[in-house]
């Protein structure tokens, strides 16, 4: 069966001599892995660059229930991104978030329209903002919780669930701002505070969603520092 959907790319691995297996969160089918044949071949008419992390694509797919791995036959940009992959800081944040988001999406095997819309709009915002770039990953991970069933109803719960030390009043105010303010807001914090808040968020998701510690965390910290 031939189907169409929009999808957010979360990464890929090489497959065979010239193909890839790409992880995509689609609007109509949720999270899954798909094969793209011959995209790495010199004869390919399209670039593998379409499948950079957080790319937002329009997809034509062959779906067969008896097959574990479905196939993408056609693709094009749905929303072109202009800065996400060329800006070193935004690129590092993107690689980190796609790793964490992929793990959080493991159970999203069916459509989740609200989550898809949130992720798409967040990516679009991240591509355009000039302020608050170093805080985007914190805001994204705090704001995405409700769409996945891990809402942080009280800021204290972010720390109490994993028996961390309660935040200072300054950290409390920063977290509150991160949750409530739009992307790009000028929320002042130093790298120590930013690192502490990220640690609390990751511990929260490790505790509730049982995700592993991100491999790209050290790279992110080195770029932001």
């Amino acid at each position: 069966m031939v189907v169409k959907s929009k999808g957010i790319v979360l990464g890929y691995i090489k497959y065979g001599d010239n193909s890839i297996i790409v992880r995509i969160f689609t609007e109509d089918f949720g999270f899954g892995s798909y094969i793209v044949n011959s995209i790495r071949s010199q004869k390919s008419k399209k670039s593998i660059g379409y499948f950079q992390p957080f790319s937002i694509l329009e997809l034509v797919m062959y779906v067969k229930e008896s097959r574990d791995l479905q196939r993408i036959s056609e693709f094009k940009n749905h929303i072109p991104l202009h800065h996400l992959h060329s800006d070193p800081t935004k690129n590092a944040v993107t690689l980190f978030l796609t790793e964490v988001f992929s793990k959080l999406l493991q159970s999203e095997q069916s459509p989740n329209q609200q989550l898809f819309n949130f992720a798409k709009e967040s990516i679009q915002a991240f591509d355009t903002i000039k302020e608050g770039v170093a805080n985007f990953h914190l805001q994204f991970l705090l704001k995405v919780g409700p769409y996945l069933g891990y809402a942080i109803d009280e800021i204290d719960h972010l720390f109490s669930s994993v028996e961390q030390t309660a935040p200072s009043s300054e950290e409390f105010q920063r977290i509150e701002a991160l949750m409530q303010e739009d992307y790009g807001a000028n929320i002042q914090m130093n790298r120590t505070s930013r690192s502490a808040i990220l640690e609390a968020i990751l511990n929260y998701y490790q505790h509730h969603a049982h995700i592993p510690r991100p491999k790209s965390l050290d790279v992110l910290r080195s770029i932001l520092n």
Side-chain angles (χ1 to χ4, degrees):
M1 178 174 61
V2 178
V3 298
K4 295 182 179 180
S5 188
K6 299 179 184 69
I8 297 170
V9 177
L10 298 171
Y12 69 82
I13 59 172
K14 295 178 181 178
Y15 181 74
D17 293 331
N18 51 32
S19 301
I20 61 173
I21 294 175
V22 57
R23 299 188 307 279
I24 299 183
F25 179 44
T26 64
E27 182 175 28
D28 298 286
F29 303 96
F31 178 72
S33 295
Y34 299 81
I35 187 169
V36 185
N37 292 124
S38 303
I39 187 68
R40 292 164 48 224
S41 168
Q42 292 183 349
K43 296 180 180 179
S44 176
K45 295 180 180 179
K46 287 195 172 181
S47 167
I48 199 171
Y50 278 92
F51 294 96
Q52 294 185 82
F54 272 171
S55 293
I56 306 171
L57 305 177
E58 293 182 19
L59 306 164
V60 177
M61 303 176 288
Y62 286 114
V63 176
K64 192 173 182 180
E65 290 186 8
S66 60
R67 185 181 298 158
D68 292 332
L69 193 61
Q70 311 301 336
R71 182 163 64 90
I72 294 173
S73 60
E74 298 177 34
F75 52 88
K76 63 179 180 180
N77 282 324
H78 174 57
I79 300 171
L81 303 174
H82 303 289
H83 308 288
L84 217 61
H85 304 119
S86 57
D87 181 287
T89 303
K90 288 186 176 184
N91 190 51
V93 171
T94 295
L95 291 173
F96 171 77
L97 279 179
T98 50
E99 181 185 356
V100 177
F101 195 36
S102 292
K103 301 301 182 185
L104 291 172
L105 286 171
Q106 293 296 324
S107 61
E108 296 294 324
Q109 305 294 326
S110 56
N112 185 332
Q113 186 70 56
Q114 289 184 322
L115 175 59
F116 184 86
N117 289 341
F118 164 81
K120 183 179 73 170
E121 291 165 7
S122 295
I123 293 165
Q124 288 178 265
F126 189 39
D127 187 54
T128 59
I129 61 173
K130 295 182 180 179
E131 299 291 333
V133 172
N135 295 331
F136 176 81
H137 60 300
L138 303 177
Q139 288 189 280
F140 182 93
L141 291 175
L142 287 168
K143 292 174 183 288
V144 76
Y147 301 98
L148 291 161
Y150 305 116
I152 302 167
D153 298 318
E154 300 288 343
I155 293 175
D156 288 338
H157 296 169
L158 187 64
F159 295 82
S160 61
S161 63
V162 290
E163 298 181 354
Q164 282 189 247
T165 304
S168 64
S169 58
E170 291 82 4
E171 280 187 333
F172 190 98
Q173 291 173 358
R174 291 188 187 107
I175 295 170
E176 191 173 48
L178 289 167
M179 296 174 72
Q180 295 178 357
E181 296 288 344
D182 292 336
Y183 297 123
N186 185 18
I187 303 170
Q188 295 292 328
M189 68 178 76
N190 57 34
R191 67 182 184 182
T192 300
S193 181
R194 187 179 292 115
S195 181
I197 292 171
L198 177 57
E199 194 69 27
I201 296 170
L202 291 177
N203 286 339
Y204 179 85
Y205 281 121
Q206 284 180 281
H207 177 76
H208 291 281
H210 309 293
I211 65 171
R213 194 161 183 80
K215 296 179 181 178
S216 56
L217 180 58
D218 289 340
V219 175
L220 175 69
R221 283 177 169 162
S222 68
I223 293 293
L224 294 184
N225 290 345

